[in-house]
Amino acid sequence: MLTKESIQKIDREIAKYPAGRKQSAVMAALAIAQEELGWLPSEAIEFVANYLDMPPIAAYEVASFYNMYDLKPVGRHKLTVCTNLPCMLSGGVDAAEYLKKKLGIGFNETTPDGRFTLKEGECMGACGDAPVMLVSNRRMCGGMRPDEIDKLLEELE
Amino acid sequence: MAILGALNPILTVGWDGGAAWRLQDYVKRGGYKALGRIFEERISPDQLIGEIKKSGLRGRGGAGFPTGLKWSFMPKDFKDGKYIVCNTDEGEPGTFKDRDILRGNPHAVIEGMVIAAYAVGAARGYNYIHGEIWDIYKRFEEALDEARAAGFVGKNILGSGFDFELFAHHGYGAYICGEESALLESIEGKKGQPRFKPPFPASVGLYGKPTTINNTETFAAVPFVLNMGAEAYLEAGKPNNAGTKLFSVSGHVNRPGNYEIPLGTPFPVLLEMAGGMRGGRKLKACIPGGSSAPVLPAEVIMACTMDYDAIGKAGSMLGSGAVIVMDETTCMVKALERLSYFYHEESCGQCTPCREGTGWLYAIVHRIEHGAGRPEDLDLLRGITANIMGRTVCALGDAASMPVQGFLKHFRDEFEYHIENGKCLVPPEVQRAGSTFFKATV
Ligand SMILES: Cc1cc2nc3c(=O)[nH]c(=O)nc-3n(C[C@H](O)[C@H](O)[C@H](O)COP(=O)(O)O)c2cc1C
Ligand code: SF4
Ligand code: FES
């Protein structure tokens, strides 16, 4: 299901926890699977559960509890815009509106060409840099006013 | 974002915009000296805990609980593996200091955790870092590798015979995991649902073992407290409010960012450090301690000093030190609507008053904001908060209720205006000007 490289990464995570506590690696393992596959189909969740000797339902519970796991396919780039109050005061909501108009989609939608998915986010602990957005869970971008948003969109193929 | 300013700093001395974070930089700044001295001078765990108690250091994660006292709750005779856990989940809206601490000085957190582990007899530790700051998580892992290679972490630390293993664990988007028992569940590989307390983590924590859990900034302060001495640290702040604290200033100021100031510094000084009000507009209100803290009107916050006692006396909380500044362009109903949405979204759902109550709070504030408020709504909101508070497993229920109570207490007239007129007291174009997204009004 996953490449050897991903499995090695998961093994490194398992080694962080005491013997018999493999389940502790489930968050990292699901993140690794998602990074490889783009999202988390139920077979991937089941695979991770089996690999960590835990019931699939327990892994599914984790995957559905935490916001950054995608249980449905997303575009090549997932843009999560923080609109919480501190960001809102400095343009977080405006940035989201700007993106919606520019991409022609709403929150939780994907552009027809499969390039972008737009999500509304909660505080990412970066409020001083507002407007803030997270690109595909990994890259945090701050100071996202119209020019910077335009630049970012161009850069993301 | 880096540390943008400081007054008599302790934690951030010598930071170089986050660039000088490596082990060698930290050692140059006097890093790992405190740890070395503990082993050289054979300072006992009891002496250490005594020193931290004497320093008056209080937890920086929100509740301000005395750190030395917390450490002393760990059972001394328990031999079957105790844990140290660092809370870098940092999801309280307005808070972004722990990210900067790990960016600029990850080794201070590592040294603080190793010292804490020695003090309470823990053999293993985890730093739980929220998933949105991936680069910081990676940096912390790198710093850990450096510390291991240099013998500050791992077996027989500095030849002392003391063993301590430390790892990073990442979250993946759940505010509730900042609550300490939810965080422990999350490390165990489960949904982040808070546990009933008691028992507290010091008796039954990670994997059921005694666990000490502190905030990132708390651990980062520990080496500095020991280096400068408990009394000097105490005197750097004011009685009952020892030392310095990082304040994350966000919202309508010219220079949003982190500022390290002694506890007890007047709020106007902090506001000035943050560049003053954006566009020279008038301060309307301020949430002084993260989104869960009740909002304070301008005249009240301007008369406050930034410390646990003064902010408490003014009717709010110092919390995590997240200072959310709002100017006269702010619609208070809309502000509360967004916060109420957040708590409803992030409720873990296991207690009925919180799961249902936060949904009602949001629905009612939402309808007021959208011109469909009813005259009885304000009493209804009050009633719901009263029925949530104190009736839930964790403090998120209270955290969702206190903002509602604070906004209604100080800005009731704005809510009433919305209900009577179906629109906001602050015209839409004035509201739009506040964010400066299109830079038109700066
Ligand atoms: C809903 C909720 C969210 C919390 N989020 C955080 C957080 O992000 N970071 C943190 O350090 N403490 C957070 N806390 C407080 C922790 O439960 C705990 O008190 C703290 O980590 C203890 O560390 P300290 O004594 O050093 O402050 C939160 C509490 C609640 C109820
Ligand atoms: S108060 Fe809310 S977040 Fe806390 S345990 Fe209950 S339902 Fe979960
Ligand atoms: S409110 Fe947006 S990052 Fe904190």
Side-chain angles (χ1 to χ4, degrees), chain B residues 23-321:
Chain B
L23 183 92
Q24 61 195 50
D25 305 313
Y26 182 59
V27 168
K28 246 186 252 157
R29 292 196 292 268
Y32 290 109
K33 238 209 291 250
L35 183 64
R37 199 167 61 84
I38 288 168
F39 295 133
E40 271 158 37
E41 299 179 11
R42 295 174 197 279
I43 299 174
S44 72
D46 280 344
Q47 278 174 299
L48 251 182
I49 293 178
E51 186 77 359
I52 297 296
K53 274 187 184 164
K54 208 164 78 186
S55 77
L57 175 63
R58 294 172 64 167
R60 302 303 195 212
F65 193 83
T67 304
L69 188 60
K70 184 184 268 190
W71 292 7
S72 72
F73 293 155
M74 290 286 274
K76 283 202 187 71
D77 39 7
F78 189 93
K79 293 282 179 271
D80 191 23
K82 293 177 248 185
Y83 289 95
I84 289 287
V85 172
C86 177
N87 187 343
T88 314
D89 197 45
E90 195 162 60
E92 173 85 359
T95 320
F96 47 95
K97 64 190 176 68
D98 297 337
R99 173 188 183 216
D100 265 358
I101 291 173
L102 288 187
R103 192 205 321 260
N105 226 8
H107 283 286
V109 178
I110 296 174
E111 186 179 6
M113 290 187 75
V114 179
I115 291 170
Y118 172 75
V120 306
R124 227 173 219 278
Y126 294 94
N127 184 6
Y128 189 104
I129 302 174
H130 69 94
E132 288 88 348
I133 47 172
W134 195 254
D135 52 334
I136 302 289
Y137 168 73
K138 286 291 175 197
R139 172 168 296 188
F140 188 75
E141 293 221 300
E142 259 189 78
L144 270 179
D145 287 343
E146 290 182 328
R148 264 187 219 113
F152 296 124
V153 167
K155 290 227 171 319
N156 191 19
I157 293 172
L158 300 178
S160 64
F162 174 64
D163 302 337
F164 178 64
E165 294 293 346
L166 180 56
F167 304 94
H169 179 105
H170 72 72
Y172 231 52
Y175 165 65
I176 191 57
C177 288
E179 195 280 336
E180 56 190 21
S181 63
L183 186 150
L184 298 177
E185 289 283 298
S186 186
I187 298 183
E188 291 182 8
K190 303 175 192 154
K191 289 189 287 190
Q193 287 191 325
R195 300 173 179 170
F196 277 101
K197 279 172 271 186
F200 290 96
S203 345
V204 182
L206 185 59
Y207 307 125
K209 307 288 185 336
T211 301
T212 293
I213 172 160
N214 279 118
N215 172 256
T216 319
E217 187 183 356
T218 313
F219 282 124
V222 166
F224 297 97
V225 170
L226 298 177
N227 285 336
M228 67 195 286
E231 263 143 46
Y233 187 80
L234 188 60
E235 276 164 22
K238 62 183 233 190
N240 199 36
N241 299 271
T244 59
K245 166 127 192 49
L246 290 185
F247 286 91
S248 305
V249 184
S250 66
H252 294 144
V253 293
N254 281 315
R255 291 185 346 126
N258 283 313
Y259 297 88
E260 181 180 4
I261 54 174
L263 286 171
T265 303
F267 172 78
V269 173
L270 178 63
L271 184 60
E272 191 60 38
M273 289 172 79
M277 296 303 295
R278 190 190 288 154
R281 280 188 291 268
K282 223 173 102 202
L283 176 69
K284 179 173 187 173
C286 174
I287 301 176
S291 64
S292 311
V295 66
L296 296 175
E299 63 279 10
V300 175
I301 187 72
M302 285 303 275
C304 279
T305 51
M306 297 308 285
D307 55 79
Y308 299 101
D309 293 338
I311 299 290
K313 223 167 113 193
S316 189
M317 302 182 313
L318 194 72
S320 58

Side-chain angles (χ1 to χ4, degrees), chain A residues 16-18 21 23-24 27 65-69 83-84 89-90 94 122 124-126 128-129 138 144 146, chain B residues 1 96 99 124 126 130 134 137 141 168-169 172-173 186-187 189-190 192 207 252 278 338 342 435 437:
Chain A
K16 291 180 179 176
Y17 305 96
R21 300 289 181 182
Q23 179 169 344
S24 285
M27 295 185 66
F65 186 85
Y66 298 90
N67 294 331
M68 289 164 70
Y69 297 115
T83 59
N84 207 312
L89 297 172
S90 291
D94 300 325
E122 293 301 342
M124 302 171 184
D129 300 340
R138 290 289 184 264
M144 299 309 281
Chain B
M1 187 64 47
F96 47 95
R99 173 188 183 216
R124 227 173 219 278
Y126 294 94
H130 69 94
W134 195 254
Y137 168 73
E141 293 221 300
H169 179 105
Y172 231 52
S186 186
I187 298 183
K190 303 175 192 154
Y207 307 125
H252 294 144
R278 190 190 288 154
R338 187 61 185 84
F342 167 72
S435 84
F437 179 70

